[in-house]
Amino acid sequence: MRLRSYALDSAHERVVAAAKFRVPQRAAFDATHRIIKALDSDIPSLPQERLIQQLRELNLLVPYSPPDLVFELATGVGKTKLMGALIAYLFGGNQTRNCLILASRTAILDKLERECLPGSPKYLFIDAALVSEPSLCFRSNLESFRPHPNSLNVVLLSPQTITGGDRRFSRPSDFGPSLEAYLKSVRDLIVFTDEAHHLPGAGSEEASAWREAVRGLGPRLHFGFTATPVSEPGSNIIYSYNLAQCLRDGLYTKAVKMWVEPVPESVSEEEWDRVTLEFGLHRLNAKRAALQEYCASHPEVGFVEPVMLINARDKVHADEIAAWLKERRGFGEEEIYATHSGKTKTEDEIKQLVAIDGPDNKIRVVVNVFQLTEGWDVTNVYVVVPLRAMATFQNAIQSMGRGLRLPAGRRVGDPEVDTLDVLCFGKETFEQIVKDATAQFGSGPEGSATISIEPAVVGEVEMGPLRPIVIKARVSVSFEVPSVTRIPPEPILDFAIATVTKDLHGYVAGIDLVSLERTGSDKDALQHDLESVVREATQKVIADLKYLSAAEHAAAVAALVRRLLTDLGASSKSPIAVDPLKVAIFVGEEIDKRYKQQAAVFKVEGSPRVVRPGEYRWPLAEQFKGPIERIPVDDWQ
Amino acid sequence: MSLRRVPIRGWAKCVHDAASFEGRGEYAAALLLDSASAVEWWLRNDPVSLKLPTPAGYFEPDFVYRATRAGSSSMGILEVKGENFWDGDGSVPRVKAAAALGWVRAVQGANVKPPWEFAVVLEQDALKATTFEELRGFAVQSLP
């Protein structure tokens, strides 16, 4: 027993050391470790009835076999990494040598197959030192796959394959029994389902067929990973870090700003589409400018074209939108991707769309007629525009999942670059939407920290249909714009941080300022000594704020963090349950706020740029034949 | 009917045949620029020809112009702000304007020829002023 405990602790430690977990991943990982450690034998030698009995004693619901353990992690937090880490842990801790991963979308299977290969920059099993040479069974080698008795066997398939969609699964291969027979024969099969909510329970024949097929293999455990759990009897959500909490913490996804403008009664759907798109384009341009500027001052970050995602009603509507953007707003053919309806093409479309956040991407607008679902996890969607009947608060919330991922994996401190804009130009009023948001995300600072809601102020529909005209230069002039570089100021790091800690309560949700303990799930609270919090928080602050360097600023930042914690009552004598990441984000914001308030310093250097304004194309409302004559200023409206 | 973003022609000193405006204050400023004896030409900076980097994104002024006063030429930047948008310290328009001011100050310090001048005026002042020089006198932020 002691040896078992040691082996599991050791596997846990090795994975933790290699994985660089985010806090929610770590908490989910630790929760699993606690469950596995509580069993009295290793899974391969534990009869299934005893396994179920012991899990029930841990207050888990197990109405049937296999026991179902579900992790709810918001989009962008890192479900896949958690899955890979759990496999590495269960293998390293002698709990399994046979894992079946199910993913219901081709794009996800493709991605997982790439990441399973040793040498992949995002190696699924964390580190080759943990899982050196897994025996891998993909769709492509299903019949020639030969499981290895001593290494980790990983089978990666879609649920359709195991429910009879692929005869190769149950057909004996050239080398021996069928894959199905092999999986049924092992005593340590553990099944992992990515995006488990694609497989809802009650009422769905497809899903029950899948569940039956999984049960038929006789796995010992089933782990599900989802962003939106479906409540099912027998599903145990053993760790949850949902979207509201994720947005409130503001660490792993873009912030969300919802722009609201109710449709006026007298306006046609077509006219309102244009007003909505116009505002969306305006936001897209703002994102583009902010990204360009950010990339110019951070050469290590490559510029990737930001994308606006439009949800249209049907194919005809999508085509109308695409045509309008091309004809009236000058978009090129290669800048717009209009998805073509029909479920059979969905997977192909997703494959093409997956490449959209590459540096060569030219697509600026994606018009789609279905909710693009999981598998499209690109990082450069910055504006989401649901049109017509889809422009409701609930739809806007659902469609924003595709735009939450951060290009750099973290926020960079530029509000425009860090924020996803979601338009909600529908029938709901601003007040209704605020009410809905409050109901969903909570009120007060907690709620407003999740999403911000603003009236869009597009004014009345005043432009009407537009057509481009050419405005010519009347005279030929040129002027030189001096080449001027902005010199970053030296950050201020010696301010009195204790005076601002009253704000910490609203910001660092979950930390009791008196006890410095995390409120919420105490079991998940990690205990640290003061110096390790100072060290971790300092490292994160320096990593997050590009103008700080470890060599120059570490000591001053550490002093600032230490002062904050000791002012709050922490001491080096006892461990504290404060989250270093949250401390870091708070301290980082305080530093950044002061940094941005410092006067900008410019230096003239290099050759000037010559500007020669020439003719340009301008969108003119169709009711005008051309430019109008000058009028008295009082007549301008 | 709104004339927002509808091109207007008939200018004496505008670089282009026509220029469009977002609000009456901008239009009033264009009329003053066009009738100012010191102004050689003015450019409505939309589409954008000149933008300056700031900590809050680019500053894209409403107008760029060239003026000659007492035989000396200068380049000028004019920005018209609605009172509603000219918020308190730390607001985006203020951060941008402050940075643009820093840009012009650096250019002036480097003795670039012709020198650059800069002014942010409020919409209500653009409507009140009767000459361009008077408008510049009303500036809430400027460098002569």
Side-chain angles (χ1 to χ4, degrees):
Chain A
M1 187 68 190
R2 198 179 290 169
L3 197 63
R4 176 174 188 274
S5 178
Y6 172 78
L8 286 169
D9 283 342
S10 161
H12 173 266
E13 266 176 42
R14 278 182 286 133
V15 174
V16 167
K20 297 193 181 110
F21 281 131
R22 289 169 164 179
V23 171
Q25 291 169 322
R26 171 71 188 270
F29 185 75
D30 288 355
T32 314
H33 176 52
R34 280 196 295 271
I35 291 171
I36 301 296
K37 215 176 151 185
L39 303 174
D40 67 9
S41 308
D42 288 337
I43 289 172
S45 55
L46 190 63
Q48 189 69 355
E49 302 75 47
R50 268 182 53 203
L51 170 66
I52 290 174
Q53 186 53 40
Q54 289 181 21
L55 291 176
R56 285 178 181 154
E57 284 164 13
L58 294 172
N59 293 326
L60 294 170
L61 293 168
V62 193
Y64 44 71
S65 184
D68 194 12
L69 308 178
V70 177
F71 302 94
E72 180 195 11
L73 288 187
T75 301
V77 174
K79 289 188 283 293
T80 309
K81 182 172 186 174
L82 174 64
M83 179 168 74
L86 286 173
I87 294 174
Y89 160 74
L90 292 166
F91 172 65
N94 306 319
Q95 303 305 304
T96 184
R97 288 181 191 280
N98 292 286
C99 295
L100 168 63
I101 301 176
L102 295 173
S104 61
R105 289 196 173 276
T106 310
I108 300 178
L109 282 170
D110 288 347
K111 177 169 156 282
L112 289 173
E113 285 184 4
R114 285 194 300 274
E115 294 178 358
C116 274
L117 300 173
S120 159
K122 290 176 78 181
Y123 185 47
L124 184 65
F125 311 113
I126 309 300
D127 193 298
L130 300 168
V131 178
S132 57
E133 284 186 23
S135 299
L136 301 168
C137 174
F138 299 151
R139 293 157 293 173
S140 54
N141 67 336
L142 207 153
E143 283 182 297
S144 59
F145 169 68
R146 298 183 76 178
H148 195 286
N150 296 321
S151 71
L152 173 67
N153 298 300
V154 177
V155 179
L156 180 54
L157 297 173
S158 72
Q160 293 82 357
T161 302
I162 65 162
T163 51
D166 192 334
R167 286 185 187 166
R168 295 177 303 162
F169 182 62
S170 49
R171 196 163 59 197
S173 73
D174 300 341
F175 306 98
S178 67
L179 181 60
E180 182 180 20
Y182 170 74
L183 293 175
K184 280 180 175 171
S185 72
V186 297
R187 289 181 50 78
D188 61 353
L189 177 66
I190 298 183
V191 180
F192 298 80
T193 307
D194 195 17
E195 307 296 356
H197 58 283
H198 274 308
L199 304 157
S204 160
E205 279 181 23
E206 197 185 347
S208 50
W210 161 79
R211 286 208 175 275
E212 279 310 309
V214 167
R215 272 174 215 162
L217 298 174
R220 311 303 307 277
L221 283 174
H222 172 254
F223 287 102
F225 300 81
T226 179
T228 45
V230 178
S231 176
E232 277 187 82
S235 269
N236 297 281
I237 296 180
I238 59 174
Y239 182 77
S240 172
Y241 187 74
N242 62 25
L243 184 62
Q245 195 178 351
C246 181
L247 289 171
R248 198 148 49 230
D249 288 352
L251 292 170
Y252 312 116
T253 60
K254 292 181 192 127
V256 175
K257 183 181 277 189
M258 185 175 288
W259 296 94
V260 176
E261 176 80 8
V263 54
E265 277 182 11
S266 57
V267 174
S268 74
E269 282 189 324
E270 291 75 21
E271 282 175 299
W272 194 242
D273 280 354
R274 284 168 196 158
V275 172
T276 311
L277 292 172
E278 207 67 86
F279 191 81
L281 290 173
H282 161 69
R283 294 307 311 148
L284 185 65
N285 288 336
K287 299 289 177 192
R288 191 168 200 269
L291 280 162
Q292 277 177 329
E293 194 201 348
Y294 181 76
C295 294
S297 57
H298 297 80
E300 73 282 6
V301 181
F303 174 78
V304 175
E305 193 68 55
V307 167
M308 173 160 83
L309 174 63
I310 300 169
N311 295 331
R313 186 182 56 196
D314 51 30
K315 185 175 179 305
V316 175
H317 187 207
D319 287 345
E320 275 171 17
I321 303 282
W324 182 80
L325 288 167
K326 286 176 201 164
E327 287 162 23
R328 305 293 186 190
R329 288 295 172 273
F331 276 78
E333 199 67 48
E334 73 288 356
E335 292 178 319
I336 297 184
Y337 187 98
T339 60
H340 295 292
S341 184
K343 272 201 160 181
T344 50
K345 287 188 178 172
T346 303
E347 296 291 357
D348 286 344
E349 284 172 353
I350 289 180
K351 265 187 194 168
Q352 291 180 52
L353 288 167
V354 164
I356 215 169
D357 61 358
D360 300 328
N361 172 50
K362 296 209 164 36
I363 297 173
R364 300 180 62 204
V365 176
V366 172
V367 193
N368 71 293
V369 292
F370 55 92
Q371 296 269 339
L372 281 167
T373 49
E374 291 74 13
W376 196 49
D377 53 0
V378 297
T379 58
N380 57 334
V381 170
Y382 272 93
V383 183
V384 174
V385 184
L387 291 173
R388 301 196 183 178
M390 284 154 292
T392 64
F393 173 74
Q394 282 307 336
N395 258 320
I397 293 292
Q398 276 169 23
S399 44
M400 76 193 192
R402 303 283 60 80
L404 287 173
R405 285 173 198 270
L406 286 159
R410 57 176 174 77
R411 296 192 186 175
V412 297
D414 180 318
E416 202 71 278
V417 175
D418 287 342
T419 303
L420 167 71
D421 286 28
V422 182
L423 274 56
C424 193
F425 284 25
K427 294 197 169 132
E428 295 157 317
T429 62
F430 185 75
E431 289 71 24
Q432 278 169 327
I433 285 181
V434 169
K435 207 171 137 197
D436 284 354
T438 306
Q440 185 146 350
F441 296 113
S443 58
E446 261 208 357
S448 63
T450 53
I451 60 171
S452 67
I453 300 173
E454 295 203 21
V457 202
V458 293
E460 293 171 17
V461 183
E462 53 190 3
M463 302 285 277
L466 299 165
R467 68 186 164 84
I469 59 165
V470 173
I471 309 261
K472 292 199 163 125
R474 200 177 52 82
V475 290
S476 173
V477 301
S478 66
F479 59 97
E480 289 186 344
V481 179
S483 173
V484 181
T485 315
R486 189 157 64 89
I487 300 166
E490 184 55 26
I492 300 165
L493 299 171
D494 57 353
F495 54 92
I497 197 157
T499 61
V500 296
T501 50
K502 60 179 170 30
D503 298 332
L504 194 60
H505 192 63
Y507 192 88
V508 187
I511 295 180
D512 183 323
L513 289 188
V514 179
S515 63
L516 269 183
E517 282 179 354
R518 259 176 92 124
T519 54
S521 178
D522 289 345
K523 276 186 286 184
D524 295 333
L526 304 171
Q527 296 278 326
H528 305 267
D529 64 75
L530 174 63
E531 282 314 306
S532 68
V533 176
V534 170
R535 192 173 57 246
E536 275 190 53
T538 301
Q539 280 171 357
K540 178 159 169 57
V541 169
I542 289 173
D544 284 354
L545 301 175
K546 288 291 168 197
Y547 45 82
L548 297 181
S549 79
E552 280 181 63
H553 304 114
V557 174
L560 200 57
V561 174
R562 193 176 293 109
R563 206 157 61 235
L564 166 71
L565 293 171
T566 48
D567 284 353
L568 283 167
S571 86
S572 54
K573 289 179 190 151
S574 55
I576 50 173
V578 67
D579 185 338
L581 290 182
K582 289 185 174 182
V583 172
I585 217 102
F586 174 73
V587 172
E589 275 197 356
E590 289 298 318
I591 294 171
D592 200 46
K593 198 160 69 187
R594 285 163 177 79
Y595 181 75
K596 286 209 171 121
Q597 280 170 3
Q598 294 184 77
V601 179
F602 293 92
K603 191 178 173 192
V604 180
E605 55 188 1
S607 310
R609 179 171 66 91
V610 178
V611 177
R612 287 191 183 82
E615 68 176 34
Y616 60 89
R617 285 157 70 85
W618 188 258
L620 180 69
E622 269 177 359
Q623 70 252 42
F624 296 98
K625 287 187 178 148
I628 62 164
E629 292 298 333
R630 265 171 56 165
I631 50 167
V633 70
D634 289 342
D635 293 347
W636 203 98
Q637 53 180 334
Chain B
M1 179 185 305
S2 170
L3 295 179
R4 186 177 156 265
R5 297 182 73 74
V6 175
I8 295 176
R9 68 183 169 208
W11 305 101
K13 296 178 178 179
C14 178
V15 169
H16 289 101
D17 278 344
S20 316
F21 306 96
E22 295 282 348
R24 186 183 291 174
E26 286 179 7
Y27 180 57
L31 291 172
L32 296 174
L33 275 164
D34 206 58
S35 61
S37 56
V39 172
E40 283 176 43
W41 55 258
W42 60 270
L43 172 71
R44 171 78 178 103
N45 193 35
D46 183 8
V48 176
S49 293
L50 176 69
K51 58 180 184 178
L52 312 178
T54 85
Y58 282 104
F59 174 73
E60 296 169 350
D62 293 323
F63 298 97
V64 179
Y65 59 88
R66 188 178 173 102
T68 304
R69 298 187 192 85
S72 307
S73 286
S74 57
M75 289 297 301
I77 290 171
L78 177 66
E79 171 75 358
V80 183
K81 271 271 157 262
E83 292 74 40
N84 296 341
F85 294 105
W86 191 247
D87 300 338
D89 282 344
S91 68
V92 169
R94 292 252 184 158
V95 170
K96 284 188 174 181
L101 193 76
W103 187 94
V104 175
R105 191 176 284 132
V107 169
Q108 289 185 350
N111 224 8
V112 169
K113 298 290 176 200
W116 285 67
E117 59 189 36
F118 169 78
V120 178
V121 298
L122 295 183
E123 198 163 44
Q124 62 190 19
D125 294 329
L127 295 169
K128 194 165 66 185
T130 53
T131 67
F132 177 56
E133 300 306 332
E134 187 187 3
L135 175 62
R136 291 190 66 230
F138 288 147
V140 288
Q141 199 154 41
S142 66
L143 272 179

